[in-house]
């Protein structure tokens, strides 16, 4: 049994870390007041740097394909961060929900239930350990068995950028970032003169798959209006043996964004989003007759106020998720109808302290209300759970010169959670109130050595039990996580190399386990308890370009986890996996081949895991081959195409649910109460093509 020479994360270690962060935050006070310099270019410190202005008559260069998007670390300005253009990912694929795009990131897994509601897991951690936001709004599902994961409400093409922060290396994205943070970002449009932009794409493929979007923007120097419409769907797919997997879905969404810029230093934004979808699942005897979301919000920014005060930002919003889980697709109009309302607000200021320090300080707040009722009955909703969180944060960047900088932050949150008697909690007679005081902090040093860019960071975070965990144990304690992150990146004209690694100790890790791991999530009894856990892992990536058109690259990722309290592997940890890519790639045309592989996973803890799922057994390794490419007909029109799983391989991921449908059990002639450890297989050979236009 692997142990460390102490039983818990010591208070002294936490204090040293937080004092270090405080020194970085306050170090700017030792300098004289700064000059009127522009905002720092770091992504976390400047939104404006990413917002290019559009024009009515763009040049052909505006339509050129972006340089290949690295699904690895971004350049030196943002260590440990992954950024993907949602409409031009490096590995194009069938985009069925937000999780299908996340899966292209090394060490990111997705728990499959069908083609919708994939549950993302980064470095073996998911649920509320991996914060997921859309336009700074937290996304939570309403279903008690996670039939509507946060990514079920996301069509990636209704956003501009996907950003993933690895580990607890920021305090700006809310509390509890044990695994990291995922944000889907939509950039506001700004114009210098009357202009009109239009972009659209339509995909079609095997199993009657389709996915389309239309993005229309118009405005002038004072105001801009942007409308995005999406529609997508698919029939049940077939696995590599030709067996149908219950996974039909339909989804549509609409987004409206208004940006008003009375001056170059003042901007107001209003937005609204509506998502309507329904889906069938292979992991349950229930389907989702409705997965709907309505959200709206606003944001105000005042910039370049004084040489010290560079920006003040105020934002607020509300999101309402509404789901029906039942047997409506089997002719029985019955089921559950939970919903969830999340309200949020945030106020922050960006300050320049002398020439060397840039600090973001602020407060954020959100409230979360979960309700439930029987579906199709007209009965009133009954409040089941509610929570409120108030957080204070400060994150400072100190420029040390010669390509070096020190970034550190502190955060404190007060969380109150309440379980209410009623339909959901039928055994309660009085409300149960729980309070948590949570602290987080990090310190990171970044430096360059010639073409190499390096970083090392230490982060500490405390995470309160979430809705699903509290429902399994009202006395569960918050997690306390200490993580070391290191990374490096090399860039030259022909070669790019990147590497990142982590070592993580979690005290009071919230383990979910069940005594019937083969039963579906609705039938099995599960509970939660605290343990101590240890994790480490890495991501490696490289790409070599010769003759400016031929490319060879790949990546490799691994996570290892151990349940120190029970002396066994930590459940729901993915195996070693990687990709190899090679082919021809220019702005005009490309043809790339990809080999994705995963090793056998024998380090399992059957019946143990987290709110995403529990281990149901070992899995064999696999390798699948695919090809994809594009042809540009003109600066404004591009055709993309591909074949996934070219050789029609039958395989399943380690982190996936088991087959649990009535049709599955009937075909075997067994009682559904017997349970299943037959994993949901991935799609077999699938072809797809896509046309994109832009003017």
């Amino acid at each position: 049994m692997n142990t460390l020479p102490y039983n818990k994360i010591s208070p002294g270690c936490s204090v040293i870390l937080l004092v270090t962060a405080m020194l970085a935050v306050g170090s700017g006070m030792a300098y004289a007041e700064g000059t009127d310099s522009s905002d720092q270019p770091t992504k976390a410190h400047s939104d404006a740097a990413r917002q290019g202005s559009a024009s009515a008559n763009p040049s052909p260069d505006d339509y050129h394909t972006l340089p290949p998007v690295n699904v690895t670390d971004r350049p030196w300005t943002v260590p440990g961060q992954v950024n993907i253009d949602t409409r031009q990912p490096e590995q194009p694929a069938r985009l069925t929900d937000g999780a299908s795009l996340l899966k292209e990131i090394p060490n990111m897994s997705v728990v499959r239930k069908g083609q919708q509601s994939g549950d993302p897991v980064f470095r073996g951690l998911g649920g509320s350990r991996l914060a997921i936001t859309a336009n700074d709004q937290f996304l939570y599902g309403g279903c008690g068995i996670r039939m509507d994961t946060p990514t079920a409400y996301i069509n990636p093409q209704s956003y501009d950028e996907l950003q993933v922060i690895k580990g607890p290396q920021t305090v700006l994205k809310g509390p509890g970032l044990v695994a990291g943070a995922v944000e889907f970002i939509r950039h506001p449009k700004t114009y210098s003169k009357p202009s009109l932009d239009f972009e659209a794409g339509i995909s079609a493929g095997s199993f009657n798959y389709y996915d389309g979007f239309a993005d229309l923007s118009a405005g002038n120097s004072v105001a801009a209006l942007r409308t995005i419409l999406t529609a997508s769907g698919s029939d049940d797919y077939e696995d590599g043996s030709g067996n149908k997997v219950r996974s039909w879905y339909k989804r549509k969404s609409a987004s409206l964004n208004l940006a008003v810029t009375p001056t170059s230093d003042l901007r107001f934004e209003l937005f609204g989003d509506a998502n309507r979808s329904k889906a069938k699942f292979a992991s349950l005897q229930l389907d989702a007759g409705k997965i709907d979301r309505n959200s709206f919000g606003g944001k105000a920014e005042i910039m370049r106020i004084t040489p010290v005060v560079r920006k003040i930002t105020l934002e607020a919003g509300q999101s309402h998720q509404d789901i029906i889980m039942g047997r409506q697709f089997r002719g029985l109009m019955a089921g559950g109808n939970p919903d969830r309302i999340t309200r949020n607000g945030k106020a922050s200021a960006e300050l320049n302290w002398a020439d060397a320090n840039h600090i973001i300080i602020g407060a954020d707040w959100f409230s979360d209300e979960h309700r439930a009722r029987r579906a199709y009955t007209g009965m009133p909703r009954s409040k089941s759970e509610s929570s409120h969180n108030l957080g204070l944060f400060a994150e400072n960047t100190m420029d040390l010169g010669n390509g070096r900088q020190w970034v550190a932050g502190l955060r404190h949150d007060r969380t109150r959670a309440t379980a209410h008697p009623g339909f959901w909690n039928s055994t309660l007679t009085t409300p149960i109130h729980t309070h948590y005081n949570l602290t987080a902090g990090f310190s990171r040093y970044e430096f360059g050595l010639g073409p190499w860019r390096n970083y090392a960071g230490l982060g500490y975070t405390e995470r309160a039990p979430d809705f699903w965990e509290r429902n399994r144990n009202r006395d569960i304690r918050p997690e306390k996580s200490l993580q070391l992150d290191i990374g490096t990146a090399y860039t030259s004209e022909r070669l790019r190399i990147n590497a990142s690694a982590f070592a993580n100790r979690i005290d009071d890790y919230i383990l979910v386990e069940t005594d019937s791991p083969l039963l579906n999530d609705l039938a099995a009894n599960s509970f939660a308890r605290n343990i101590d856990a240890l994790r480490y892992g890495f991501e490696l990536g490289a790409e070599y370009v010769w003759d400016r058109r031929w490319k060879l690259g790949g990546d490799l990722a691994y996570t290892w986890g151990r349940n120190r309290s029970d002396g066994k592997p930590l459940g729901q940890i993915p195996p070693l996996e990687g990709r190899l890519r090679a082919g021809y790639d220019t702005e005009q045309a490309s043809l790339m081949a990809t080999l994705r592989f995963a090793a056998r996973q024998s380090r399992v803890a059957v019946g143990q895991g987290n709110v995403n799922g529990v281990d149901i057994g070992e899995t064999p390794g696999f390798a699948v081959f695919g090809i994809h490419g594009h042809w540009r007909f003109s600066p404004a029109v591009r055709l993309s195409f591909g074949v996934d799983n070219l050789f029609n391989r039958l395989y399943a991921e380690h982190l996936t649910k088991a087959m649990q449908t009535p049709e599955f059990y009937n075909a075997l002639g067994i009682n559904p109460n017997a349970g299943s450890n037959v994993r949901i297989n991935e799609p077999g050979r699938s072809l797809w093509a896509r046309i994109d236009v832009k003017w």
Side-chain angles (χ1 to χ4, degrees), residues 438-459:
L438 308 171
T439 300
F442 76 96
S443 181
R444 184 175 70 247
Y445 179 61
E446 307 168 2
F447 62 101
L449 294 172
W452 293 91
R453 299 298 186 226
N454 316 284
Y455 71 91
L458 186 66

Side-chain angles (χ1 to χ4, degrees), residues 54 96 117 172 179 186 351 355 386 402 450 473 477 537 567 636 662 672 691:
T96 57
S117 295
L172 305 179
R186 187 181 300 130
L351 312 175
D355 295 328
S386 62
N402 297 321
N473 184 348
R477 296 186 300 275
I691 287 284

Side-chain angles (χ1 to χ4, degrees), residues 49 60 85 556 662:
D85 183 335
L556 189 67

